[in-house]
Amino acid sequence: MEPHPPVSAVLGEVRTALLPESAALSRGSAAELMALVHGRPVRSRERPVIWAQSPTVVEGIDCRFATPDQRRVRAVGTVAARAAVVGGRIMQSSAHSTVLPAASDRRQKWVHYLGRPGVAEVLTRAPAGLGAELTAGFLAVRDSATDTFDPGAVAARLATRVRRNPMLDQNPPLHTPTTRLRWAARVEAGTPATMTMTLHPGELRTADFVVGDLAELAAVQAFCDDLALHDWLLTVLTEVIDEAEMYELSRTPVDQVISPLLEHLVYLWMPGSATPPPLRGLWEVLEADPGFSRQWHARVGQLRDRLAVATLAALNRVSTVW
């Protein structure tokens, strides 16, 4: 048996949003929502929070990859995508491809590529440093209308499919943004796992991973799902704080914006709980700098203090009337 060609890189994107449903889904309802492929099992669990994940959905691609020097790199293969419901409240859709050099520069029949879900084969000659080139090109912020590899588009289509399910009432308890975590990972044998995360204006974040072996590489997707979830929670929290300030200026009851977040989302903060063991050390780095949990607990405390002050003021007004 011929050895598999070395992995050049794994490229993916995770999209995170609030599920358009007024009540938190039970484990059974979440699993029903994630039954996207007939006859394929849905993974689910009850603890530490309700979680259900769809079977993998495969989509074929024949496209070029972006590189810093604009060199043409063509690949054919598939993108592996899946959706998940976390805590009965949050929806994530993710898509990725493992990029390998093709055994031949000739395009194969589709049955060849469909038999390797989530693998994209580079048909053009692959230089030794292709992984670093693909990572740099993929993570560069650029016009999304180009014809380059875009797993985010696959993740977006999957998210739309889930959101339109008739079992959802389209009435979420609060309005929140959708965030995108675009990530790339490559192996440098024997090196400690590292990650560089960048927050861009708007909804986009990027994360660049270098890992020491294939076991760590296989864990990157699950780590990114966990990272994207907690980054989204922090983003929503920041927006709610900004909105609360506007409510106070307009003399609108501030509890209308604060209470839904405290009731429906705060209990979902559990960084690292869904990360595979090979990459849990990366959470220690994030907790040290920029200090994910420090930011979260400080801002949640700020909201609770504001809610307490608003409640006390409302009670004082009632006492004055009486």
Side-chain angles (χ1 to χ4, degrees):
M1 180 181 295
E2 294 184 2
H4 292 293
V7 175
S8 296
V10 183
L11 310 175
E13 186 165 312
V14 185
R15 299 201 172 204
T16 307
L18 190 67
L19 202 63
E21 170 62 30
S22 56
L25 298 184
S26 65
R27 178 180 177 180
S29 296
E32 181 182 351
L33 182 65
M34 291 294 97
L36 301 180
V37 182
H38 181 70
R40 297 274 301 280
V42 173
R43 298 175 60 200
S44 69
R45 61 173 179 258
E46 190 79 29
R47 298 178 181 178
V49 296
I50 289 171
W51 174 86
Q53 186 181 77
S54 75
T56 299
V57 178
V58 177
E59 187 167 317
I61 56 168
D62 183 343
C63 62
R64 69 181 182 87
F65 284 94
T67 58
D69 60 2
Q70 303 300 312
R71 185 167 54 86
R72 186 172 181 82
V73 177
R74 182 191 175 196
V76 183
T78 60
V79 174
R82 63 194 186 195
V85 173
V86 183
R89 284 290 183 192
I90 301 172
M91 178 186 67
Q92 291 191 291
S93 59
S94 59
H96 75 279
S97 285
T98 300
V99 185
L100 305 174
S104 167
D105 60 0
R106 298 183 61 183
R107 191 182 187 281
Q108 305 294 314
K109 295 182 178 179
W110 271 115
V111 66
H112 167 78
Y113 302 109
L114 293 176
R116 309 180 74 187
V119 173
E121 299 183 7
V122 176
L123 300 184
T124 48
R125 185 174 180 179
L130 180 63
E133 287 190 36
L134 294 181
T135 295
F138 178 67
L139 295 181
V141 179
R142 60 190 186 282
D143 185 358
S144 60
T146 62
D147 62 350
T148 55
F149 174 69
D150 185 9
V154 179
R157 286 191 288 272
L158 188 59
T160 298
R161 178 181 170 186
V162 173
R163 282 197 303 267
R164 290 178 177 174
N165 191 304
M167 70 181 287
L168 301 175
D169 64 18
Q170 305 301 317
N171 187 30
L174 65 164
H175 297 289
T176 63
T178 297
T179 57
R180 300 165 49 207
L181 175 64
R182 173 168 285 207
W183 60 271
R186 64 189 187 280
V187 174
E188 291 185 6
T191 63
T194 60
M195 180 198 68
T196 302
M197 183 178 180
T198 305
L199 271 63
H200 300 273
E203 65 181 13
L204 179 66
R205 294 91 169 87
T206 56
D208 185 4
F209 295 85
V210 177
V211 296
D213 55 42
L214 293 179
E216 291 180 342
L217 187 67
V220 172
Q221 174 68 76
F223 175 86
C224 286
D225 292 344
D226 202 11
L227 175 61
L229 171 70
H230 289 85
D231 171 74
W232 180 85
L233 286 169
L234 267 177
T235 300
V236 171
L237 182 59
T238 301
E239 293 207 354
V240 167
I241 289 173
D242 292 342
E243 192 173 351
E245 291 176 350
M246 292 194 305
Y247 269 50
E248 289 172 346
L249 292 174
S250 64
R251 298 185 180 276
T252 305
V254 74
D255 62 300
Q256 292 181 13
V257 64
I258 295 177
S259 296
L261 182 137
L262 295 178
E263 178 183 353
H264 300 295
L265 296 180
V266 164
Y267 72 97
L268 297 176
W269 184 262
M270 298 181 186
S273 63
T275 294
L279 292 183
R280 284 180 186 161
L282 291 179
W283 271 113
E284 297 177 8
V285 177
L286 288 169
E287 294 291 24
D289 183 17
F292 263 43
S293 289
R294 288 198 306 274
Q295 294 179 47
W296 175 261
H297 294 306
R299 291 175 182 178
V300 167
Q302 180 184 358
L303 282 183
R304 285 182 169 143
D305 290 345
R306 279 192 171 174
L307 184 59
V309 170
T311 302
L312 183 60
L315 289 173
N316 288 336
R317 285 195 297 270
V318 171
S319 299
T320 301
V321 171
W322 280 100

